[in-house]
């Protein structure tokens, strides 16, 4: 490649980097920590926040300069995409407490509406045929856009299967707003996965725990795009 071409290539890459939406991860437990870690590995800047700044600072110090710790209010103000890596009921609380700040933002919901059962497993805490995605979409702050994403694998697989060498593992997502598809797909790619849109929020139930496309549902494992096609996912054909 000539010097001029190489230079153009670098400039274009820089441009794409600077044009990426600002992303914040709120809630730094199992999922939030892996998402922030994957993004840093994917060379994507990420803002992190939790109930205390101390916890966010700790993660930022561990992950390096791409990861900035701020308060929840500042995270929402600064970012375009807010990953709410907290429990379903906490998301509902955050919608209320930060209704103004969340206006017009892209909200990523990885939540599963589950709680421990009496037998050491998990049970659904909403009706069998409901999804947390659909419930949350009815409670969205004004002008906010919702994507159900980053919750279709357990935290261990989200860490282990990220940036797979030969063929990337798939992360399914759903949203009613096709105008945010590119931003969500870029977020998933920068997490080290191949994004696959399965439809609108009414499809959320399929990618939540017990759903047919969830690791802890009928799918039962991580899949590559080719493997997802083999299990007959119609959105892929
Ligand atoms: N774990 C998985 O394998 C998995 C897989 C897919 C999807 N998910 C979903 O991802 C979400 C998070 O799960 P998780 O396993 O990561 O839970 P987790 O380990 O319990 O982490 C939740 C985090 O949220 C923080 N938090 C609680 N209330 C908060 C508030 N009001 N504001 C800001 N931060 C708050 C917690 O802080 P404190 O520690 O201070 O309470 C904790 O750091 C859940 O909706 C879950 O269904 C989990």
């Amino acid at each position: 490649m000539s010097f001029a071409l190489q230079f153009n290539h670098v400039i274009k890459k820089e441009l794409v980097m600077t044009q990426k939406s600002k992303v914040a991860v709120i809630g730094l437990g199992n999922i939030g920590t892996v998402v922030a870690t994957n993004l840093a590995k994917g060379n994507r800047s990420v803002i992190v926040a939790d109930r205390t700044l101390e916890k966010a600072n700790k993660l930022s110090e561990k992950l390096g300069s791409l990861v900035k710790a701020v308060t929840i209010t500042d995270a929402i103000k600064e970012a375009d995409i807010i990953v709410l890596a907290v429990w379903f009921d906490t998301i509902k609380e955050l919608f209320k407490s930060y209704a103004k700040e969340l206006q017009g933002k892209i909200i990523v919901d990885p939540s599963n509406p589950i709680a421990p059962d009496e037998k050491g497993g998990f049970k659904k805490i909403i009706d069998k045929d409901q999804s947390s995605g659909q419930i949350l979409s009815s409670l969205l702050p004004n002008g906010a856009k919702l994507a159900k994403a980053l919750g279709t694998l357990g935290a261990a697989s989200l860490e282990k299967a990220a940036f797979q060498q030969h063929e990337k593992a798939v992360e399914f997502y759903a949203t009613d707003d096709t105008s945010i598809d590119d931003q969500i797909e870029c977020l998933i790619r920068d997490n080290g996965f191949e994004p696959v849109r399965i439809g609108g929020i009414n499809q959320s139930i399929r990618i939540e725990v017990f759903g047919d496309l969830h690791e802890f549902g009928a799918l039962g494992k991580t899949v590559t795009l080719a493997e997802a096609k083999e299990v007959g996912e119609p959105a892929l054909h």
Side-chain angles (χ1 to χ4, degrees), residues 31-44 46 63 66-67 150 155-163 171 187-193:
I31 285 291
T33 298
V34 177
V35 169
T37 305
N38 284 350
L39 287 173
K41 272 190 199 154
N43 205 26
R44 176 93 178 246
V46 55
L63 295 179
L66 284 171
V67 181
L150 298 174
S157 295
L158 195 63
E159 182 177 13
K160 214 169 108 212
F163 304 102
E171 267 281 359
L187 177 73
I188 292 173
R189 283 206 178 88
D190 287 344
N191 250 277
F193 290 86

Side-chain angles (χ1 to χ4, degrees), residues 118-155:
E118 309 75 34
K119 301 171 209 146
F122 285 93
K123 63 179 177 197
K124 211 163 162 173
I125 54 169
I126 56 178
D127 284 352
K128 194 161 86 311
D129 55 356
Q130 278 189 318
S131 66
S132 62
Q134 271 184 297
I135 294 174
L136 291 174
S137 78
S138 69
L139 303 171
L140 271 185
N142 272 347
K145 297 167 181 175
L146 183 70
K148 182 92 211 171
L150 298 174
T152 193
L153 297 175

Side-chain angles (χ1 to χ4, degrees), residues 90-218:
T90 309
I91 296 183
K92 290 197 273 183
E93 283 167 25
L94 292 177
F95 277 8
K96 277 191 199 148
S97 319
Y98 296 93
K100 199 163 151 246
E101 293 84 348
L102 284 167
Q103 280 183 20
K105 302 283 177 172
I106 297 173
I107 296 171
V108 172
D109 159 34
S111 72
N112 290 298
I114 53 171
D117 64 14
E118 309 75 34
K119 301 171 209 146
F122 285 93
K123 63 179 177 197
K124 211 163 162 173
I125 54 169
I126 56 178
D127 284 352
K128 194 161 86 311
D129 55 356
Q130 278 189 318
S131 66
S132 62
Q134 271 184 297
I135 294 174
L136 291 174
S137 78
S138 69
L139 303 171
L140 271 185
N142 272 347
K145 297 167 181 175
L146 183 70
K148 182 92 211 171
L150 298 174
T152 193
L153 297 175
S157 295
L158 195 63
E159 182 177 13
K160 214 169 108 212
F163 304 102
Q164 248 169 218
Q165 279 297 317
H166 297 297
E167 217 186 332
K168 293 227 174 71
V170 161
E171 267 281 359
F172 299 104
Y173 76 96
T175 179
D176 286 336
D177 203 319
T178 51
S179 71
I180 62 171
D181 281 1
D182 286 351
Q183 282 150 293
I184 299 303
E185 295 197 356
C186 184
L187 177 73
I188 292 173
R189 283 206 178 88
D190 287 344
N191 250 277
F193 290 86
E194 182 64 30
V196 173
R197 183 181 200 279
I198 58 145
I201 287 291
N202 64 0
Q203 299 298 306
S204 282
I205 195 163
R206 304 187 63 202
I207 54 175
E208 295 179 8
V209 165
F210 308 129
D212 66 313
L213 292 177
H214 197 279
E215 185 182 11
F216 304 133

Side-chain angles (χ1 to χ4, degrees), residues 72-94:
I72 296 177
T73 308
D74 286 345
I76 300 174
K77 271 191 198 152
E78 282 185 39
D80 312 297
I81 302 177
I82 322 289
V83 181
L84 290 177
V86 294
W87 290 95
F88 172 61
D89 285 335
T90 309
I91 296 183
K92 290 197 273 183
E93 283 167 25
L94 292 177

